[in-house]
């Protein structure tokens, strides 16, 4: 009898191609006849910042003393054309996440937390809420293909404008907001029927290329009296060319979002199989800016899987001016918290695994429009938690920069890095640890 024997004792071997996750996906598709939708971003293992290490000071470099020597963290964004560029205390910003995908309280908390540490937050699709504007010292207004909630008066109230051409989790695809999250208020802001699924357009309706985008950017400058920085956000795919075109179109800041970027809802096949890793996108973006002679003049913000201060420092060493966080910010607010473990289990998930943000059943009250669930979330406490997290990320990045002998986070450079895998070395264009070899460079 084999009933009491383990899988290994029975001599059974799992297929690498048809593993249990793949089998479950096939079975689900066969049963339902529809593709899977979820949030959270890519779950497959990809070359990422963990594959890079810093070369701290020892004999050939001098470290800075953390208690006596400064390491500055501020950053200016939008210095190319804007009358009032943003001056942030930390290079860690909050990425665009819409009211609709998130509750009003969550949006308020993002504003509170970002303002407490002197950084910016971003509206996301669907427009500007009084809760977020009221609590955000620096608020970036996203201008998306859908035009949901687009209001020239709100453009003028914003501190910067981000023209979104793509998102890391789904470059080439539009957003989704399912009917259960289209509340009366969300529907009114987006001019949509209540309770009906919304699918955003995948491209802007009034231009087809960089020349048209240049006209649109000038229109936005005119609306805002040339006061606000204009960002252009692209999903990482053909990054080198996209960044060059964004600069030619007049962008003050380019935002590059790698495929580890999160999403409230899109097709899983998109999340896992479209786009390139953040690690591969940064050097391409920096190369494009350098060839145009505008690196640091046109600032680069990198997003997609930023989790801690080490990731911040590595992105900046590769040439970014700042980073943006989304999923990490939601976790800091309290999403996927163990205190809701029983409720996550009740809806077929588990704390730490919950990714059905599109369903609007988030027990933490963050990614929902359900009044009872949203009432659980305390935006004041959530804002304090986020501020704590942002401070820790900034201090961690400072610690690394000082160890490399740098008096500002922006002084970090590729020379401070090595890679521990051939793939990461080739993507990041830094040497494989213990060698001077950069795969693909001929060196």
């Amino acid at each position: 009898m084999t009933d009491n024997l383990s899988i290994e004792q029975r001599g059974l071997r799992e297929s690498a191609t048809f593993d249990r996750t793949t089998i479950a996906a096939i079975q689900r598709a066969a049963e339902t006849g529809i593709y899977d939708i979820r949030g959270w971003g890519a779950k497959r293992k990809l070359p990422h910042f963990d594959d890079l290490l810093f070369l701290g000071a020892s004999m050939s470099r001098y470290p800075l003393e953390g208690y006596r020597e400064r390491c500055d963290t501020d950053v200016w964004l939008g210095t190319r054309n804007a009358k009032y560029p943003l001056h942030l205390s930390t290079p860690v910003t909050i990425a665009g996440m819409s009211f609709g995908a998130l509750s009003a309280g969550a949006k308020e908390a993002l504003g509170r937390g970002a303002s407490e540490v002197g950084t910016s937050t971003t509206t996301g699709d669907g427009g500007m809420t009084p809760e977020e504007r009221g609590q955000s010292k620096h608020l970036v207004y996203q201008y998306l293909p859908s035009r949901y909630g687009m209001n020239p008066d709100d453009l003028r109230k914003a501190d910067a404008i981000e023209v979104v051409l793509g998102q890391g989790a789904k470059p080439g695809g539009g957003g989704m907001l399912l009917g259960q999250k289209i509340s009366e208020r969300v529907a009114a802001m987006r001019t949509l029927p209540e309770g009906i699924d919304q699918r955003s357009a995948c491209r802007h309706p009034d231009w087809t290329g960089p020349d048209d985008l240049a006209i649109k950017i000038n229109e936005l400058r005119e609306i805002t009296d040339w006061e606000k920085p204009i960002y252009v956000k692209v999903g990482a795919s053909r990054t080198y060319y996209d960044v060059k075109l964004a600069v030619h179109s007049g962008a003050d800041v380019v935002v590059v979002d790698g495929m580890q970027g999160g999403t409230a809802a899109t097709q899983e096949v998109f999340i896992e199989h479209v786009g390139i890793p953040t690690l591969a996108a940064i050097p391409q973006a920096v190369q494009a800016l350098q060839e145009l002679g505008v690196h640091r003049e046109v600032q680069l913000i990198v997003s997609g899987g930023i989790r801690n201060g080490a990731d911040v420092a590595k992105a900046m060493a590769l040439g970014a001016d700042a980073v943006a966080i989304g999923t990490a910010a939601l976790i800091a607010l309290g999403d996927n918290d163990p205190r809701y473990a029983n409720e996550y289990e009740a809806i077929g998930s588990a704390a730490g695994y919950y990714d059905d943000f599109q369903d609007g059943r988030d027990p933490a009250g963050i990614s929902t429009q359900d009044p009872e669930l949203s009432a659980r979330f305390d935006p004041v406490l959530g804002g304090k938690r986020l501020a704590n997290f942002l401070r820790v990320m900034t201090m961690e990045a400072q610690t690394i920069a000082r160890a490399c002998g740098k008096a500002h986070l922006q002084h970090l450079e590729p020379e401070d890095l090595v890679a521990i895998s051939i793939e990461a070395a080739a993507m990041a264009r830094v040497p494989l640890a213990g060698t001077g070899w950069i795969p693909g460079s001929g060196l």
Side-chain angles (χ1 to χ4, degrees):
M1 292 182 65
T2 61
D3 290 351
N4 296 322
L5 298 180
S6 68
I7 294 292
E8 293 77 12
Q9 289 172 325
R10 296 179 204 178
L12 302 179
R13 179 182 175 188
E14 185 169 348
S15 167
T17 304
F18 289 91
D19 59 12
R20 278 169 283 181
T21 301
T22 302
I23 291 170
I26 292 171
Q27 291 169 339
R28 190 209 57 77
E31 289 168 5
T32 65
I34 57 174
Y35 49 67
D36 195 18
I37 297 173
R38 65 170 176 83
W40 198 261
K43 294 187 176 183
R44 64 158 62 190
K45 183 171 174 54
L46 295 162
H48 199 38
F49 294 114
D50 286 344
D51 296 314
L52 301 181
L53 298 174
F54 277 101
L55 299 174
S58 185
M59 184 71 184
S60 58
R61 299 289 187 277
Y62 286 91
L64 299 184
E65 175 54 64
Y67 293 100
R68 292 186 291 122
E69 295 176 293
R70 288 176 57 178
C71 178
D72 292 330
T73 64
D74 66 314
V75 60
W76 287 89
L77 299 175
T79 55
R80 185 187 190 194
N81 292 299
K83 184 178 179 181
Y84 300 123
L86 300 188
H87 187 206
L88 307 181
S89 300
T90 173
V92 187
T93 69
I94 306 300
M97 294 176 282
S98 74
F99 168 63
L102 303 186
S103 65
K107 293 297 285 178
E108 177 184 339
L110 292 174
R112 286 178 178 274
S115 297
E116 192 171 324
V117 300
T119 192
S120 63
T121 189
T122 311
T123 61
D125 205 352
M128 180 187 292
T129 63
E131 293 93 338
E132 187 172 31
R133 177 65 279 185
Q135 298 299 332
S136 298
K137 181 179 179 182
H138 306 289
L139 181 60
V140 182
Y141 188 99
Q142 280 197 333
Y143 187 79
L144 293 105
S146 70
R147 299 292 193 273
Y148 290 137
M150 216 299 284
N151 184 328
D153 291 332
D154 287 342
L155 286 176
R156 296 185 187 99
K157 292 176 188 174
D159 301 293
I161 299 166
E162 182 173 292
V163 181
V164 179
L165 304 184
Q167 183 179 339
K170 49 190 175 189
M176 293 183 180
L177 191 63
L178 300 190
Q180 52 265 48
K181 296 178 81 171
I182 309 289
S183 66
E184 182 179 359
R185 183 181 177 191
V186 172
M189 287 182 64
R190 301 190 183 211
T191 319
L192 290 170
E194 188 176 345
I196 303 298
D197 291 356
Q198 167 260 300
R199 291 171 180 260
S200 299
C202 64
R203 63 175 187 261
H204 287 261
D206 48 357
W207 74 75
T208 56
D211 293 337
D212 296 335
L213 176 56
I215 294 170
K216 178 57 65 175
I217 286 176
N218 279 331
E219 287 178 2
L220 294 171
R221 292 196 194 283
E222 290 293 331
I223 291 171
T224 57
D225 297 324
W226 288 73
E227 294 179 348
K228 321 291 184 183
I230 307 292
Y231 301 10
V232 172
K233 179 178 181 178
V234 297
S237 53
R238 296 175 174 85
T239 308
Y240 171 81
Y241 300 104
D242 290 343
V243 169
K244 282 200 167 185
L245 290 173
V247 172
H248 282 304
S249 299
D252 299 310
V253 178
V254 179
V255 182
V256 174
D257 192 20
M259 72 175 289
Q260 290 100 319
T263 179
T266 198
Q267 301 96 318
E268 184 173 40
V269 69
F270 229 134
I271 295 172
E272 300 288 2
H273 300 284
V274 181
I276 64 173
T278 305
L279 193 64
I282 303 174
Q284 292 184 33
V286 171
Q287 180 186 351
L289 294 171
Q290 289 173 337
E291 288 180 2
L292 292 173
V294 295
H295 187 220
R296 304 302 186 195
E297 177 188 349
V298 173
Q299 287 81 41
L300 174 65
I301 298 176
V302 169
S303 54
I306 307 291
R307 307 155 298 176
N308 50 47
D311 289 350
V312 176
K314 290 170 185 178
M316 296 186 73
L318 290 175
D321 295 277
V323 303
I325 62 170
T327 302
L330 298 186
I331 296 170
L333 292 184
D335 228 333
N336 267 285
D337 195 290
R339 72 179 183 271
Y340 297 116
N342 291 338
E343 293 182 66
Y344 284 121
E345 294 280 353
I347 57 175
S349 187
Y353 294 85
Y354 180 66
D355 58 18
D356 286 329
F357 300 118
Q358 73 281 357
D359 284 348
R361 299 187 293 166
D362 183 4
I366 293 171
S367 60
T368 181
Q369 298 303 315
D370 182 285
E372 291 186 12
L373 293 175
S374 348
R376 295 179 173 184
F377 181 73
D378 181 347
V380 176
L381 177 59
K384 289 186 181 299
R385 289 174 57 93
L386 177 62
N388 284 341
F389 177 57
L390 292 169
R391 288 192 188 97
V392 170
M393 291 182 79
T394 305
M395 289 189 291
E396 287 175 339
Q398 280 179 300
T399 299
I400 289 172
R402 285 194 178 99
C404 294
K406 307 301 168 98
H408 198 292
L409 291 185
Q410 288 190 328
H411 295 170
L412 290 165
E413 57 190 324
E415 189 269 342
D416 296 314
L417 293 169
V418 293
I420 55 173
S421 71
I422 292 175
E423 292 86 353
M427 289 181 184
R429 303 178 188 178
V430 299
L432 191 65
T435 78
W437 178 46
I438 302 176
S441 70
L443 300 176

